[in-house]
Amino acid sequence: MFPLRTIGKKHKDGLSSRRNSHREVRTSVHDVGSEVSIASVEQPPPSRQSSHHDHELHRSRTYHPFAPHVLCLLMPASIFGVLARLGLVALATYNGQSIFPLAYVQGLGCFVMGFGLEMKEPLGNFYPPLYTALTTGFCGSLTTFSSWQLDVFNSWLNSQDAHRAGLRSFMDGLGKTIFTLTISLSSVLFGSYIARVIYPFLPTLRPPTRTVRYLISILSVFIYAATLPAYFLLPASYRHQATAALLFAFPGTLTRYILSTLLNPLLLTFPLGTFAANSTGTGLLAAFHVIQSITNKPISPNGCSLIQGLDDGFCGCLTTVSTFAVEIRGLKGWERPRYILMSWGAGQLLLLIIMGPSLLSGNVRKQLVCSFT
């Protein structure tokens, strides 16, 4: 559909200069994210499009962060991110597992995030909303900060009642904390490295026409609208597994995107928007977890499915590890450990404040008691 750039003799000089200019931007894989502005990680980049009559002339097109084309494309990206997360967790959950399931989710999401960050310029030249859909929509919905915090907190509590001492519960929670940070940061670097390797060989695609852009936006809205009949028409057993989460995926992503767009520019040394989204989502997940664990007032199966959908869909998409990892790379010196400790500490503190008194009361169990049938 789109003409590809041929690599012949007349293009060798251009390809060589393209490689050299790219190396000037990223001289080492360890520099990835270090010069990224935390206020613009998820913003659609400006596109530099060639004129149809003279390929030497260029015009710039900038999409507003809240442009309809940008927001619409977040809808299917959020849905696919949630489906990928739920699928990976289900695939990695089995008897005798040696790696906690969320490790795969965080690793894959951060890998794609690093790849997309390195491809910001070519994605911007093709279709800027695609960059925001990939980073904010897909990666932000695939990775989840709130579930990571709850997983660590459940390790402290030994929620599965495993036969182990308290020190080993502490080691389990500490291990999930350190391994998640290590996997996330290294995956961002690895994804960026792979992008740098294949970048010079990518074809140049002509930007979509105005008609195609509107068709993409309309199709995106229809994809999200289809989640409502999917919830009611598909078997009831699918609701707590996936379809309920799809209903709340886009609202969670949109809330996070609004918070990061409005609040991140306020403090250049602390991503306030991402911090607010991750903290809010973790607090909500703790509250929903308490509701699902009440023993004396059982909830109906439909209610349990909707709450589970809020857990996986809204809270999972409202919070993110992929953007969190990139922002850590974008900070300098002591700003990095401060951001990590404050984000992690706020999450654990919220879980303790919300879940602690409920557990001590005896009316709430450490395991979920909600029945989906």
Side-chain angles (χ1 to χ4, degrees):
M1 181 179 296
F2 302 113
L4 302 182
R5 171 173 49 83
T6 59
I7 305 179
K9 292 183 178 179
K10 62 180 180 179
H11 294 287
K12 287 183 178 179
D13 295 337
L15 180 58
S16 177
S17 62
R18 183 182 178 186
R19 289 174 175 170
N20 293 334
S21 63
H22 192 63
R23 290 194 184 99
E24 292 174 1
V25 178
R26 296 279 193 264
T27 58
S28 169
V29 70
H30 298 288
D31 296 331
V32 174
S34 59
E35 71 281 4
V36 175
S37 171
I38 60 175
S40 61
V41 170
E42 299 177 323
Q43 301 301 314
S47 62
R48 191 165 177 263
Q49 302 175 4
S50 299
S51 170
H52 293 291
H53 302 289
D54 187 356
H55 290 284
E56 298 301 322
L57 298 177
H58 297 83
R59 57 187 176 85
S60 296
R61 178 182 178 87
T62 302
Y63 284 83
H64 189 274
F66 299 119
H69 291 297
V70 176
L71 299 182
C72 287
L73 207 56
L74 288 176
M75 297 178 182
S78 303
I79 291 173
F80 295 141
V82 169
L83 288 175
R85 167 160 42 90
L86 297 177
L88 275 175
V89 169
L91 186 63
T93 303
Y94 51 86
N95 291 330
Q97 64 190 36
S98 57
I99 302 176
F100 55 99
L102 282 179
Y104 298 95
V105 170
Q106 318 292 26
L108 177 60
C110 290
F111 172 83
V112 178
M113 185 71 174
F115 187 92
L117 185 65
E118 195 72 26
M119 291 294 176
K120 188 170 186 176
E121 180 182 349
L123 288 174
N125 291 335
F126 175 61
Y127 189 41
L130 183 61
Y131 168 80
T132 303
L134 179 65
T135 55
T136 304
F138 181 77
C139 297
S141 301
L142 174 57
T143 60
T144 169
F145 185 91
S146 56
S147 295
W148 169 40
Q149 293 297 294
L150 181 60
D151 201 20
V152 171
F153 191 76
N154 282 334
S155 292
W156 309 134
L157 295 178
N158 188 14
S159 61
Q160 299 301 321
D161 292 326
H163 297 287
R164 67 190 187 201
L167 181 59
R168 287 173 178 164
S169 294
F170 170 78
M171 290 300 298
D172 189 46
L174 182 63
K176 289 179 179 178
T177 297
I178 296 176
F179 290 158
T180 298
L181 287 171
T182 304
I183 291 169
S184 301
L185 292 172
S186 59
S187 295
V188 169
L189 295 176
F190 185 54
S192 182
Y193 172 75
I194 295 299
R196 290 172 63 238
V197 170
I198 69 173
Y199 177 79
F201 305 101
L202 291 178
T204 299
L205 303 178
R206 181 180 298 172
T209 63
R210 181 179 181 181
T211 301
V212 173
R213 294 198 300 269
Y214 276 97
L215 287 176
I216 292 174
S217 298
I218 293 173
L219 179 61
S220 299
V221 174
F222 282 153
I223 290 176
Y224 178 62
T227 61
L228 189 61
Y231 177 82
F232 289 103
L233 298 181
L234 291 179
S237 60
Y238 289 6
R239 293 176 181 174
H240 69 280
Q241 296 176 345
T243 54
L246 300 183
L247 290 174
F248 304 105
F250 174 64
T253 300
L254 181 61
T255 303
R256 169 168 47 84
Y257 183 59
I258 292 174
L259 288 173
S260 64
T261 300
L262 297 181
L263 300 183
N264 277 353
L266 299 181
L267 295 176
L268 297 181
T269 60
F270 190 87
L272 187 59
T274 305
F275 176 81
N278 284 341
S279 299
T280 302
T282 302
L284 288 174
L285 182 62
F288 295 146
H289 192 80
V290 168
I291 295 174
Q292 288 179 297
S293 304
I294 297 176
T295 56
N296 55 355
K297 293 182 179 180
I299 305 174
S300 66
N302 286 335
C304 286
S305 296
L306 286 175
I307 294 176
Q308 188 62 42
L310 288 169
D311 287 352
D312 297 329
F314 187 79
C315 295
C317 293
L318 175 59
T319 63
T320 176
V321 168
S322 56
T323 303
F324 177 67
V326 171
E327 289 168 344
I328 293 173
R329 291 291 307 169
L331 297 173
K332 305 294 183 180
W334 69 277
E335 297 167 357
R336 292 178 178 178
R338 181 188 66 175
Y339 181 45
I340 294 173
L341 291 175
M342 288 187 65
S343 298
W344 183 90
Q348 292 300 300
L349 183 61
L350 284 168
L351 288 165
L352 178 62
I353 293 174
I354 296 173
M355 296 181 60
S358 302
L359 292 171
L360 292 176
S361 68
N363 295 324
V364 174
R365 294 183 181 177
K366 292 187 289 186
Q367 300 90 2
L368 299 182
V369 298
C370 243
S371 176
F372 301 105
T373 57

